[in-house]
């Protein structure tokens, strides 16, 4: 019994010491994970990524600018895509290289010039399609005649997640109204009288 006594004392010391350390660890404040300083960059689709000035929200708005292609520029092709979040902060704004030769830049309406589409910053259509598709996932999309924008992007979006101001009954109870008219009536602002970036128009 005497030979076992030191062992028992040692075990008792270890047991009490372990409990003491456990209590001290509980008192220590939990270390917060370091957040990267640069949170303004969202990489998607293995491309260059999207320049982001703020986080994505459950509701986003999109506007696409078209240029004319084909004989007389009668057919439309995507030339610029802009997306803002619920707070009007820019999530995406890029010029897109057209798949066909541009025959009418429609500058007075689109604000697009040859230099915009010939710029090294203009991205391929496929890249834009992938990046925008990623941004739209599981989000409510607001736009004016937004089906036309989705069509030029060759993208689909669930109908229950679409909010089209051209067909929103409180805004257009009888028939669709031009965006210019809606903005003048409800916001008291004038748009489309001069070249204006889509992101500025959407942000109000």
């Amino acid at each position: 019994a005497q030979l076992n006594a030191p062992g028992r004392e040692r075990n008792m010391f270890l047991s009490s010491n372990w409990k003491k350390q456990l209590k001290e660890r509980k008192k220590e404040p939990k270390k917060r994970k370091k957040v990267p300083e640069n949170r303004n960059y969202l990489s998607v689709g293995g491309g260059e990524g999207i320049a982001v000035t703020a986080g994505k929200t459950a509701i986003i708005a999109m506007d696409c600018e078209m240029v004319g292609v084909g004989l007389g520029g009668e057919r439309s092709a995507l030339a610029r895509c802009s997306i803002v979040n619920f707070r009007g902060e820019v999530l995406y704004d890029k010029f897109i290289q057209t798949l066909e030769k541009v025959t009418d830049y429609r500058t007075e309406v689109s604000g697009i010039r040859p230099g915009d589409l010939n710029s090294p910053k203009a991205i391929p259509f496929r890249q834009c399609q992938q990046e925008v598709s990623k941004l739209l996932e599981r989000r409510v999309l607001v736009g004016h005649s937004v089906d036309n924008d989705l069509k030029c992007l060759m993208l689909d979006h669930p109908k229950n997640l679409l909010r089209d101001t051209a067909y929103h009954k409180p805004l257009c109870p009888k028939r669709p109204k031009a965006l210019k008219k809606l903005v003048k009536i409800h916001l008291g602002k004038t748009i489309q009288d001069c070249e204006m970036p889509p992101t500025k128009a959407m942000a109000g």
Side-chain angles (χ1 to χ4, degrees):
Q2 289 180 356
L3 290 173
N4 292 334
R8 284 199 299 271
E9 290 175 1
R10 188 161 54 250
N11 289 338
M12 288 175 66
F13 172 75
L14 289 172
S15 178
S16 61
N17 190 42
W18 177 79
K19 289 179 180 179
K20 184 179 178 182
Q21 289 181 353
L22 185 62
K23 287 181 180 179
E24 288 177 353
R25 286 189 66 181
K26 285 183 177 180
K27 291 179 182 178
E28 292 178 1
K30 291 183 179 180
K31 294 181 179 179
R32 294 183 178 181
K33 291 182 179 180
K34 290 184 178 180
V35 179
E37 291 182 5
N38 183 10
R39 300 186 67 183
N40 296 332
Y41 196 82
L42 175 66
S43 179
V44 297
E48 295 177 0
I50 302 173
V52 179
T53 57
K56 291 183 288 184
T57 53
I59 302 174
I60 58 178
M62 180 174 73
D63 182 42
C64 293
E65 297 299 334
M66 322 288 186
V67 290
V69 296
L71 185 64
E74 293 182 357
R75 290 185 290 110
S76 296
L78 178 66
R80 185 176 186 176
C81 182
S82 307
I83 299 174
V84 298
N85 67 10
F86 185 74
R87 295 181 292 273
E89 298 162 326
V90 181
L91 295 181
Y92 191 92
D93 189 24
K94 293 189 179 183
F95 292 104
I96 295 92
Q97 299 165 2
T98 55
L99 300 175
E100 298 181 55
K101 182 180 179 181
V102 179
T103 51
D104 184 359
Y105 284 91
R106 305 175 183 173
T107 306
E108 68 282 358
V109 176
S110 69
I112 305 293
R113 289 182 165 82
D116 297 323
L117 305 186
N118 296 329
S119 166
K121 292 184 179 180
I123 64 172
F125 173 81
R126 181 66 66 182
Q127 181 183 333
C128 172
Q129 187 184 51
Q130 291 174 350
E131 293 175 350
V132 171
S133 176
K134 188 76 174 179
L135 275 173
L136 298 187
E137 282 182 2
R138 298 185 299 277
R139 286 179 170 79
V140 174
L141 175 61
V142 179
H144 191 77
S145 297
V146 70
D147 282 343
N148 292 334
D149 293 340
L150 290 170
K151 185 178 179 181
C152 76
L153 281 160
M154 299 183 187
L155 291 175
D156 291 322
H157 199 64
K159 287 188 176 181
N160 65 310
L161 295 178
L162 288 176
R163 302 293 183 271
D164 197 325
T165 55
Y167 299 95
H168 187 51
K169 291 298 182 183
L171 298 177
C172 307
K174 295 182 179 179
R175 62 180 67 87
K177 293 179 181 177
L179 181 61
K180 181 178 181 177
K181 189 173 183 179
L182 286 176
V183 171
K184 188 66 177 178
I185 294 171
H186 297 281
L187 301 178
K189 294 186 177 182
T190 301
I191 63 170
Q192 298 178 347
D193 276 358
C194 59
E195 294 173 30
M196 179 185 291
T199 50
K200 187 176 180 182
M202 287 188 289

Coordinates of all heavy atoms in Angstrom, one line a residue, residues 95-147:
F95 N -17.5 45.6 -70.9 CA -17.8 45.6 -72.4 C -17.5 44.3 -72.9 O -16.6 43.6 -72.5 CB -16.9 46.7 -73.1 CG -17.2 48.1 -72.7 CD1 -16.4 48.8 -71.9 CD2 -18.4 48.7 -73.2 CE1 -16.7 50.1 -71.5 CE2 -18.7 50.0 -72.9 CZ -17.8 50.7 -72.1
I96 N -18.3 43.9 -73.9 CA -18.2 42.5 -74.5 C -17.9 42.6 -76.0 O -18.5 43.3 -76.7 CB -19.5 41.7 -74.3 CG1 -19.8 41.5 -72.8 CG2 -19.5 40.4 -74.9 CD1 -20.6 42.6 -72.1
Q97 N -17.0 41.7 -76.4 CA -16.6 41.6 -77.8 C -17.8 40.9 -78.5 O -18.2 39.9 -78.1 CB -15.4 40.8 -77.9 CG -14.1 41.3 -77.3 CD -13.0 40.3 -77.1 OE1 -13.1 39.2 -77.6 NE2 -11.9 40.7 -76.5
T98 N -18.3 41.6 -79.6 CA -19.4 41.1 -80.3 C -19.0 39.9 -81.2 O -17.8 39.8 -81.7 CB -20.1 42.1 -81.2 OG1 -19.1 42.7 -82.0 CG2 -20.7 43.2 -80.3
L99 N -19.9 38.9 -81.4 CA -19.6 37.8 -82.2 C -19.6 38.1 -83.7 O -19.1 37.3 -84.5 CB -20.6 36.6 -81.9 CG -20.6 36.2 -80.4 CD1 -21.7 35.1 -80.2 CD2 -19.2 35.6 -80.0
E100 N -20.3 39.2 -84.0 CA -20.4 39.6 -85.4 C -19.9 41.0 -85.6 O -19.8 41.8 -84.6 CB -21.9 39.5 -85.9 CG -22.5 38.1 -85.9 CD -23.9 38.1 -86.4 OE1 -24.2 38.6 -87.5 OE2 -24.8 37.6 -85.6
K101 N -19.7 41.4 -86.8 CA -19.2 42.8 -87.1 C -20.4 43.8 -86.8 O -21.5 43.6 -87.1 CB -18.8 42.9 -88.6 CG -18.3 44.3 -88.9 CD -17.9 44.4 -90.4 CE -17.4 45.8 -90.7 NZ -17.0 45.9 -92.2
V102 N -20.0 44.8 -86.1 CA -21.0 45.9 -85.7 C -21.2 46.8 -86.9 O -20.3 47.3 -87.5 CB -20.5 46.7 -84.5 CG1 -21.5 47.8 -84.1 CG2 -20.2 45.8 -83.3
T103 N -22.5 47.0 -87.2 CA -22.8 47.8 -88.3 C -23.5 49.1 -87.8 O -23.7 50.0 -88.6 CB -23.8 47.1 -89.3 OG1 -24.9 46.5 -88.6 CG2 -23.0 46.0 -90.0
D104 N -23.9 49.1 -86.5 CA -24.5 50.3 -86.0 C -24.3 50.3 -84.5 O -24.8 49.5 -83.7 CB -26.0 50.4 -86.2 CG -26.7 51.7 -85.7 OD1 -26.0 52.5 -85.1 OD2 -27.9 51.8 -85.9
Y105 N -23.5 51.3 -84.0 CA -23.1 51.3 -82.6 C -24.2 51.9 -81.7 O -24.2 51.8 -80.5 CB -21.8 52.1 -82.4 CG -20.6 51.3 -82.8 CD1 -20.1 51.4 -84.1 CD2 -20.0 50.4 -81.9 CE1 -19.0 50.6 -84.5 CE2 -18.8 49.7 -82.2 CZ -18.4 49.8 -83.5 OH -17.3 49.0 -83.9
R106 N -25.2 52.5 -82.3 CA -26.3 53.1 -81.6 C -25.9 54.0 -80.4 O -26.4 53.9 -79.3 CB -27.3 52.0 -81.1 CG -27.8 51.0 -82.1 CD -28.6 49.9 -81.5 NE -29.0 48.9 -82.6 CZ -29.6 47.8 -82.3 NH1 -29.8 47.4 -81.0 NH2 -29.9 46.9 -83.2
T107 N -24.8 54.7 -80.6 CA -24.2 55.5 -79.6 C -25.1 56.4 -78.8 O -25.0 56.6 -77.6 CB -23.0 56.3 -80.2 OG1 -22.1 55.4 -80.9 CG2 -22.2 56.9 -79.1
E108 N -26.0 57.0 -79.5 CA -26.9 58.0 -78.9 C -27.8 57.3 -77.8 O -28.3 58.0 -76.9 CB -27.8 58.7 -79.9 CG -28.8 57.8 -80.6 CD -28.2 57.0 -81.7 OE1 -27.0 57.1 -82.0 OE2 -29.0 56.2 -82.3
V109 N -28.0 56.0 -78.0 CA -28.8 55.3 -77.0 C -28.0 54.4 -76.1 O -28.1 54.4 -74.9 CB -29.9 54.4 -77.7 CG1 -30.7 53.6 -76.7 CG2 -30.8 55.3 -78.5
S110 N -27.0 53.7 -76.7 CA -26.2 52.7 -76.0 C -25.0 53.3 -75.3 O -24.5 52.8 -74.3 CB -25.7 51.6 -76.9 OG -24.8 52.2 -77.8
G111 N -24.5 54.4 -75.8 CA -23.3 55.0 -75.3 C -22.0 54.3 -75.7 O -20.9 54.6 -75.3
I112 N -22.2 53.3 -76.6 CA -21.1 52.4 -77.0 C -20.4 53.1 -78.2 O -21.0 53.6 -79.1 CB -21.6 51.0 -77.4 CG1 -22.4 50.4 -76.3 CG2 -20.4 50.2 -77.8 CD1 -21.6 50.1 -75.1
R113 N -19.0 53.1 -78.2 CA -18.2 53.5 -79.3 C -17.3 52.4 -79.7 O -17.0 51.5 -78.9 CB -17.4 54.8 -78.8 CG -18.3 56.0 -78.6 CD -17.4 57.2 -78.3 NE -18.1 58.5 -78.4 CZ -18.9 59.0 -77.5 NH1 -19.2 58.3 -76.4 NH2 -19.5 60.1 -77.7
P114 N -16.7 52.5 -80.9 CA -15.8 51.5 -81.4 C -14.7 51.2 -80.5 O -14.3 50.0 -80.3 CB -15.3 52.1 -82.8 CG -16.4 53.0 -83.2 CD -17.0 53.5 -82.0
G115 N -14.1 52.2 -79.8 CA -13.0 52.0 -78.9 C -13.3 51.2 -77.7 O -12.5 50.5 -77.2
D116 N -14.6 51.2 -77.3 CA -15.0 50.4 -76.1 C -14.9 48.9 -76.4 O -14.5 48.1 -75.6 CB -16.5 50.7 -75.8 CG -16.6 52.2 -75.3 OD1 -15.7 52.7 -74.7 OD2 -17.7 52.8 -75.6
L117 N -15.3 48.5 -77.6 CA -15.3 47.1 -78.0 C -14.0 46.6 -78.5 O -13.7 45.4 -78.5 CB -16.4 46.8 -79.0 CG -17.8 47.2 -78.6 CD1 -18.9 46.8 -79.6 CD2 -18.2 46.7 -77.2
N118 N -13.2 47.5 -79.0 CA -11.8 47.2 -79.4 C -10.8 47.2 -78.3 O -9.6 46.9 -78.5 CB -11.4 48.1 -80.6 CG -12.3 47.9 -81.8 OD1 -12.8 46.8 -82.1 ND2 -12.5 49.0 -82.6
S119 N -11.2 47.7 -77.2 CA -10.3 47.8 -76.0 C -9.8 46.4 -75.5 O -10.6 45.5 -75.6 CB -11.0 48.6 -74.9 OG -10.3 48.5 -73.7
P120 N -8.6 46.3 -75.0 CA -8.1 45.1 -74.4 C -9.0 44.7 -73.2 O -9.0 43.5 -72.8 CB -6.7 45.4 -74.0 CG -6.3 46.6 -74.8 CD -7.5 47.4 -75.0
K121 N -9.7 45.6 -72.6 CA -10.6 45.3 -71.5 C -11.9 44.6 -71.9 O -12.5 44.0 -71.0 CB -10.9 46.6 -70.7 CG -9.6 47.2 -70.0 CD -10.0 48.4 -69.2 CE -8.8 49.0 -68.5 NZ -9.2 50.2 -67.7
A122 N -12.2 44.7 -73.1 CA -13.5 44.0 -73.6 C -13.2 42.5 -73.5 O -12.2 42.0 -74.0 CB -13.8 44.5 -75.0
I123 N -14.2 41.8 -73.0 CA -14.1 40.4 -72.8 C -14.9 39.6 -73.8 O -15.8 40.1 -74.4 CB -14.5 40.0 -71.4 CG1 -16.0 40.3 -71.1 CG2 -13.6 40.7 -70.3 CD1 -16.5 39.7 -69.8
P124 N -14.5 38.3 -74.0 CA -15.3 37.5 -74.9 C -16.7 37.2 -74.4 O -16.9 37.2 -73.2 CB -14.5 36.1 -74.9 CG -13.1 36.5 -74.5 CD -13.3 37.7 -73.5
F125 N -17.6 37.0 -75.3 CA -19.0 36.8 -74.9 C -19.2 35.6 -74.0 O -19.9 35.7 -73.0 CB -19.8 36.5 -76.2 CG -21.3 36.1 -75.9 CD1 -22.2 37.1 -75.6 CD2 -21.6 34.8 -75.9 CE1 -23.5 36.7 -75.3 CE2 -22.9 34.4 -75.6 CZ -23.9 35.4 -75.3
R126 N -18.5 34.5 -74.2 CA -18.6 33.3 -73.4 C -18.2 33.6 -71.9 O -18.8 33.1 -71.0 CB -17.8 32.2 -74.0 CG -17.8 30.9 -73.2 CD -19.2 30.3 -73.2 NE -19.6 29.8 -74.5 CZ -20.8 29.3 -74.8 NH1 -21.7 29.2 -73.9 NH2 -21.1 28.9 -76.1
Q127 N -17.1 34.4 -71.8 CA -16.7 34.7 -70.4 C -17.7 35.5 -69.7 O -18.1 35.3 -68.5 CB -15.4 35.5 -70.5 CG -14.8 35.9 -69.1 CD -13.6 36.7 -69.1 OE1 -12.8 36.6 -70.1 NE2 -13.3 37.5 -68.1
C128 N -18.3 36.5 -70.4 CA -19.4 37.3 -69.8 C -20.6 36.4 -69.4 O -21.1 36.6 -68.3 CB -19.8 38.4 -70.8 SG -21.3 39.3 -70.2
Q129 N -20.9 35.6 -70.3 CA -22.1 34.7 -70.0 C -21.9 33.8 -68.7 O -22.8 33.7 -67.9 CB -22.3 33.8 -71.2 CG -23.5 32.9 -71.2 CD -23.6 32.0 -72.3 OE1 -22.7 31.2 -72.6 NE2 -24.7 32.0 -73.0
Q130 N -20.7 33.3 -68.6 CA -20.4 32.5 -67.4 C -20.4 33.3 -66.1 O -20.9 32.9 -65.1 CB -19.0 31.8 -67.6 CG -19.0 30.7 -68.7 CD -17.7 30.1 -69.0 OE1 -16.6 30.7 -68.5 NE2 -17.6 29.1 -69.7
E131 N -19.7 34.5 -66.2 CA -19.6 35.3 -65.0 C -21.0 35.8 -64.6 O -21.3 35.8 -63.4 CB -18.7 36.5 -65.3 CG -17.3 36.1 -65.5 CD -16.3 37.2 -65.9 OE1 -16.8 38.3 -66.2 OE2 -15.1 37.0 -65.9
V132 N -21.8 36.3 -65.5 CA -23.1 36.8 -65.2 C -24.0 35.7 -64.6 O -24.8 35.8 -63.7 CB -23.8 37.5 -66.4 CG1 -25.3 37.8 -66.1 CG2 -23.0 38.7 -66.8
S133 N -23.9 34.5 -65.3 CA -24.7 33.3 -64.8 C -24.4 33.0 -63.3 O -25.3 32.7 -62.5 CB -24.4 32.1 -65.7 OG -25.1 31.0 -65.2
K134 N -23.2 33.1 -63.0 CA -22.8 32.9 -61.6 C -23.4 33.9 -60.6 O -23.8 33.6 -59.5 CB -21.2 32.9 -61.5 CG -20.6 32.5 -60.2 CD -20.7 31.0 -60.0 CE -20.0 30.6 -58.7 NZ -20.1 29.1 -58.5
L135 N -23.4 35.2 -61.1 CA -23.9 36.2 -60.2 C -25.4 36.1 -60.0 O -26.0 36.5 -59.0 CB -23.6 37.6 -60.8 CG -22.2 38.2 -60.5 CD1 -22.0 39.5 -61.3 CD2 -22.1 38.5 -59.0
L136 N -26.1 35.6 -61.0 CA -27.6 35.6 -61.0 C -28.1 34.4 -60.2 O -29.3 34.4 -59.8 CB -28.2 35.4 -62.4 CG -27.9 36.6 -63.4 CD1 -28.7 36.4 -64.7 CD2 -28.2 37.9 -62.8
E137 N -27.3 33.4 -59.9 CA -27.7 32.2 -59.2 C -28.5 32.5 -57.9 O -28.0 33.2 -57.0 CB -26.6 31.3 -58.9 CG -26.0 30.5 -60.1 CD -24.9 29.6 -59.7 OE1 -24.5 29.5 -58.5 OE2 -24.3 28.9 -60.6
R138 N -29.7 32.0 -57.8 CA -30.6 32.1 -56.6 C -30.8 33.5 -56.2 O -31.0 33.8 -55.0 CB -30.0 31.2 -55.5 CG -29.8 29.8 -55.8 CD -29.3 29.0 -54.6 NE -28.0 29.4 -54.2 CZ -26.9 29.0 -54.8 NH1 -26.9 28.1 -55.8 NH2 -25.7 29.4 -54.3
R139 N -30.8 34.5 -57.1 CA -31.1 35.8 -56.7 C -32.3 36.4 -57.5 O -32.5 36.0 -58.6 CB -29.8 36.7 -57.0 CG -28.8 36.4 -55.9 CD -27.5 37.2 -56.1 NE -26.7 37.1 -54.9 CZ -25.9 36.0 -54.7 NH1 -25.9 35.0 -55.6 NH2 -25.2 35.9 -53.6
V140 N -33.0 37.3 -56.9 CA -34.1 38.0 -57.5 C -33.4 39.0 -58.5 O -32.6 39.9 -58.1 CB -35.0 38.8 -56.5 CG1 -36.0 39.6 -57.2 CG2 -35.6 37.8 -55.6
L141 N -33.9 39.0 -59.8 CA -33.3 39.8 -60.8 C -34.3 40.9 -61.2 O -35.4 40.6 -61.6 CB -32.9 39.0 -62.0 CG -32.4 39.8 -63.2 CD1 -31.1 40.5 -62.9 CD2 -32.2 38.8 -64.4
V142 N -33.9 42.1 -61.1 CA -34.8 43.3 -61.5 C -34.2 43.9 -62.8 O -33.0 44.0 -62.9 CB -34.8 44.4 -60.4 CG1 -35.6 45.6 -60.8 CG2 -35.2 43.8 -59.0
G143 N -35.1 44.3 -63.6 CA -34.7 44.9 -64.9 C -35.9 45.5 -65.6 O -37.1 45.3 -65.2
H144 N -35.6 46.2 -66.7 CA -36.7 46.7 -67.5 C -36.7 46.0 -68.8 O -35.7 46.0 -69.6 CB -36.5 48.2 -67.7 CG -37.7 48.9 -68.4 ND1 -38.8 49.2 -67.6 CD2 -38.0 49.2 -69.6 CE1 -39.8 49.7 -68.4 NE2 -39.2 49.8 -69.7
S145 N -37.8 45.3 -69.1 CA -37.8 44.3 -70.3 C -36.6 43.4 -70.2 O -35.9 43.2 -71.1 CB -37.8 45.1 -71.6 OG -38.9 45.9 -71.7
V146 N -36.5 42.8 -69.0 CA -35.3 42.0 -68.6 C -35.2 40.8 -69.5 O -34.1 40.2 -69.7 CB -35.3 41.7 -67.1 CG1 -36.4 40.7 -66.8 CG2 -34.0 41.2 -66.7
D147 N -36.3 40.3 -70.1 CA -36.2 39.1 -71.0 C -35.3 39.4 -72.2 O -34.7 38.5 -72.6 CB -37.6 38.8 -71.5 CG -38.4 38.0 -70.4 OD1 -37.8 37.5 -69.5 OD2 -39.7 37.9 -70.5

